[in-house]
Amino acid sequence: MKKIISVLWLSLFTLSFAQANETKQIVLKVKEMNCQLCAYLVNKELRNIDGVISTKASIKDGTVTVLEDPKVTDEQLIDAIHRLKYSAEVVK
């Protein structure tokens, strides 16, 4: 029984570690994002993209951090922000 539990724990750890390696993080600069509504709209638009896991906008810095699957391209993110009539550029 202890062996089975150990194998299950090891399997769960391995799966969570493998999943963490399959994501990437990108930071975008959005100059026009200067209020809570702007940040909300940017987050909402980016989260509508298939493959985006999470977003966090910072009004103070004018940036949004995106956690995404590797299949998501920078262009998809920038296009989503352009749909809001905002400009965006990749910071890192």
Side-chain angles (χ1 to χ4, degrees):
M1 184 67 170
K2 286 183 181 181
K3 227 178 194 181
I4 292 172
I5 292 173
S6 296
V7 169
L8 287 174
W9 276 109
L10 182 61
S11 298
L12 288 173
F13 176 75
T14 304
L15 284 174
S16 65
F17 182 72
Q19 194 174 31
N21 285 337
E22 294 178 8
T23 61
K24 66 178 183 176
Q25 181 174 312
I26 189 168
V27 178
L28 299 169
K29 178 77 173 168
V30 183
K31 294 177 186 172
E32 296 83 2
M33 187 175 63
N34 52 23
C35 69
Q36 279 300 118
L37 179 59
C38 299
Y40 169 79
L41 292 172
V42 167
N43 280 326
K44 183 178 176 193
E45 194 70 30
L46 291 172
R47 289 177 185 165
N48 283 333
I49 299 171
D50 186 37
V52 171
I53 299 165
S54 69
T55 62
K56 183 171 183 170
S58 169
I59 298 168
K60 178 181 163 192
D61 301 328
T63 60
V64 59
T65 303
V66 183
L67 185 63
E68 61 191 24
D69 290 334
K71 68 180 180 178
V72 178
T73 66
D74 295 350
E75 282 303 313
Q76 285 177 285
L77 302 174
I78 291 170
D79 288 345
I81 293 173
H82 284 170
R83 283 193 292 273
L84 295 170
K85 308 295 185 217
Y86 297 166
S87 61
E89 62 183 54
V90 177
V91 177
K92 54 176 166 168

